[in-house]
Amino acid sequence: MKKSVLILFAAAAALVACSKPAAELTPGSEIQFTTNLNTYAVKAAVEENVLENVKIIAGAPINKTVSATPTQTGLAGTLATTPTLYWAAGQTASTKFVAITGGQENTVVNEYDMLGLGYDYAYCSKLMSAVATVAPENTVELNFEHIFSKVVINITNNLAADEVASVAFNKVAAVAKVDFENRTFADFGPYTASLPANEITANSKYAVVIIPQTARPEIVVTTQKGAVYTFTVNADFTFQRAKTATVSLTLNSSTSVGTLSAVGGMNFTVTDWVADATEMTGDGAMNLDEYWHIIGKVYSEADKTSKPGAWEKRYPLAYNNAGKWEITINYDPDMEHPDGGFLFVKGDTYLGMHNSSPSVTSDYNLWTTDRLNILTQEGKGKYTFVLDPANNNNLTYTRIGDCD
């Protein structure tokens, strides 16, 4: 009996010995990372080359995803990982590393939606990736490049005191399959998105970041007084990844609203967007329904050689620094039309003389009801009219000479 018991204990001891966990393999050395992007602060509204919330996805045989924090030693940008990333024990094969900013942990996003959580220019303008395949014990050099395309919109505003309120970049795709490793795009969503441009300099410079694509976008500029200018690209334009396309627009309070055109490239460092000098052209249209206009036996200097018929064309007034509406225009009562004089109009509201007035003086409050077409005491000539709707629809004017 005793012998049998001893045999059983010996067998049990042997079983326990065989089931002991094997000792963990000691990892290789710590992986060192460098980057083409330094981490010094740039004095700009949006620092588009700052690495934020970096994820490094290490392939086989390491197979780990870690966070990376930019540091700087001298002029060389470096990245420290959390947790620390090591080469695999005894590793001889190279490993592919994909680094992505913005907290992205997947190398492919099938339906990346720029508007899914609301358009974020700052985030999109800093979305970059870097790829490197490196043999063990070598430094991993990660050269980041922008994922998206950038458009800079320069605006020349000739609207006096009326300034730009917003700029929208319309009729583009905001959804696509994004491959961060290969920096490619596919399966674009509908070309119907509207992206609000970021203000770089108030009233003159705006920017938008979009998914690289070929499209015919529409740029809509809305002013503080409600004027709407629509500029449409009239041919397919390819917005290239990591490049900047720059266009110029002109806002005039007349029928000439300017065209889209490419201008000089932006001067960025090699780590930033590369200027795209490809020509971008288009046509403009405007809606000044929220502006006050003059209509009647009047014409502008631009129309003096080919006068439109009387009462055929509305001329918009400019909003001036005093909060009033102003225009310099020719008044010619000899133009052919049974209705004389002129009126001021905004939408469905018309301003004219009181029905008992033979003509207006140089300081006169206009009427919206029981009104007559406006006649000046001085008659034919070139005038500067100043309309103050907030002050009893007050009209003042100065005759400055004969008609052009």
Side-chain angles (χ1 to χ4, degrees), residues 132-389:
T133 300
V134 181
E137 309 306 324
N138 289 287
T139 298
V140 179
E141 183 178 351
L142 295 173
N143 293 313
F144 285 86
E145 294 182 15
H146 287 280
I147 291 294
F148 291 148
S149 178
K150 180 178 176 182
V151 184
V152 172
I153 304 164
N154 290 316
I155 297 176
T156 299
N157 184 357
N158 296 327
L159 301 180
D162 190 11
E163 297 190 347
V164 174
S166 65
V167 178
F169 202 76
N170 299 338
K171 297 185 178 180
V172 291
V175 178
K177 177 180 179 179
V178 180
D179 184 333
F180 290 97
E181 176 183 340
N182 297 298
R183 304 187 185 108
T184 57
F185 307 85
D187 302 334
F188 294 92
Y191 292 80
T192 57
S194 177
L195 305 178
N198 182 64
E199 179 185 285
I200 305 299
T201 303
N203 201 42
S204 64
K205 187 175 183 178
Y206 298 79
V208 66
V209 173
I210 67 172
I211 293 172
Q213 60 192 274
T214 298
R216 295 190 184 192
E218 176 183 87
I219 302 173
V220 178
V221 181
T222 303
T223 71
Q224 294 176 352
K225 302 304 293 183
V228 179
Y229 290 78
T230 302
F231 298 88
T232 304
V233 176
N234 56 20
D236 286 348
F237 186 87
T238 298
F239 297 92
Q240 302 178 62
R241 183 191 63 77
K243 288 193 175 184
T244 298
T246 306
V247 298
S248 59
L249 313 178
T250 301
L251 310 183
N252 292 319
S253 58
S254 68
T255 54
S256 174
V257 296
T259 59
L260 286 168
S261 61
V263 297
M266 307 296 291
N267 295 319
F268 290 112
T269 65
V270 294
T271 58
D272 206 331
W273 314 83
V274 180
D276 182 2
T278 309
E279 187 74 10
M280 184 193 300
T281 60
D283 300 309
M286 67 183 181
N287 182 343
L288 297 180
D289 286 349
E290 297 303 314
Y291 268 40
W292 282 97
H293 294 70
I294 188 171
I295 187 172
K297 290 191 171 182
V298 293
Y299 62 92
S300 68
E301 181 179 357
D303 287 339
K304 64 183 179 182
T305 56
S306 57
K307 292 181 187 177
W311 295 94
E312 288 185 3
K313 185 173 181 179
R314 295 183 178 190
Y315 293 94
L317 281 67
Y319 185 72
N320 66 26
N321 291 315
K324 301 175 184 179
W325 296 86
E326 182 176 332
I327 192 171
T328 296
I329 201 161
N330 298 289
Y331 165 51
D332 184 0
D334 296 330
M335 294 175 71
E336 291 187 12
H337 197 279
D339 295 331
F342 55 90
L343 293 170
F344 292 96
V345 56
K346 176 184 175 183
D348 295 328
T349 301
Y350 290 81
L351 297 177
M353 298 189 304
H354 188 268
N355 58 14
S356 62
S357 301
S359 62
V360 296
T361 61
S362 60
D363 189 341
Y364 185 97
N365 292 341
L366 299 174
W367 286 57
T368 57
T369 58
D370 298 328
R371 54 172 170 70
L372 297 175
N373 295 344
I374 300 168
L375 306 174
T376 63
Q377 291 183 338
E378 295 83 355
K380 183 177 180 179
K382 185 175 184 179
Y383 290 82
T384 296
F385 294 106
V386 179
L387 179 64
D388 188 0

Side-chain angles (χ1 to χ4, degrees), residues 27-34 56-64 66-68 78-89 91 93-97 132-142:
S29 61
E30 180 181 344
I31 302 174
Q32 303 295 321
F33 294 92
T34 62
I56 296 179
I57 304 159
I62 299 172
N63 297 320
K64 288 185 178 179
V66 297
S67 296
T78 60
L79 292 170
T81 62
T82 305
T84 302
L85 204 57
Y86 297 93
W87 296 106
Q91 179 178 345
S94 296
T95 294
K96 178 182 287 186
F97 298 87
T133 300
V134 181
E137 309 306 324
N138 289 287
T139 298
V140 179
E141 183 178 351
L142 295 173

